[in-house]
Amino acid sequence: MSVHHDSHEGILRSALEENGLRYTEQRSAVFEHLANTKSHPTADEVLLAVRPALPGISLATVYKSLETLVGCGLVNKLTYSDGSSRYDGCTDPHHHARCGRCGRVVDVPGSLPEDQVEGLRLGASDFVVTGYRLELTGYCQPCLTAERV
Ligand code: ZN
Ligand code: MN
């Protein structure tokens, strides 16, 4: 079987290999779903999406697969103060807007200029900055339409 060099499967196989991890159909199905959606799903939503192809898969396996993919740098985990988490298959720099009513997360293109990030970093004294996260807050259009917020 020939695998296209930059296919999702090829990317997954080499990332798992680099980290000394096995390729499994569960990890593959979870990664394939995240690579093909812009919806920033929760683990429960990922389970619903992959179960038609893998009827025996459990939520625990989905969680473990997600954490493996995050550990390999293939997926970003977005955690929130209410304890919920969402997963993002796009690791290119971008921001997010999150609806304060339904929790939906959408991509906002762009990244802060380096000097602005550096300026913020200088303000965080005695803190080793490894990254930053910018999230716009508000309400999505369906929620605004359903109910005047
Ligand atoms: Zn909403
Ligand atoms: Mn995103």
Side-chain angles (χ1 to χ4, degrees), residues 78-108:
L78 308 171
T79 54
Y80 298 99
S81 55
D82 64 2
S84 65
S85 299
R86 290 176 174 272
Y87 296 87
D88 192 347
C90 175
T91 53
D92 297 335
H94 64 285
H95 306 300
H96 292 114
R98 183 172 189 248
C99 176
R101 186 166 181 262
C102 70
R104 187 222 290 245
V105 173
V106 299
D107 287 334
V108 178

Side-chain angles (χ1 to χ4, degrees), residues 114-132:
E114 274 303 322
D115 59 327
Q116 276 192 38
V117 178
E118 178 63 10
L120 290 167
R121 194 191 65 76
L122 291 173
S125 51
D126 297 332
F127 193 93
V128 178
V129 177
T130 58
Y132 77 94

Side-chain angles (χ1 to χ4, degrees), residues 33-34 36-42 45 86-87 104-106:
H33 176 63
L34 287 172
N36 285 309
T37 181
K38 291 195 167 294
S39 72
H40 308 87
T42 62
E45 289 166 347
R86 290 176 174 272
Y87 296 87
R104 187 222 290 245
V105 173
V106 299

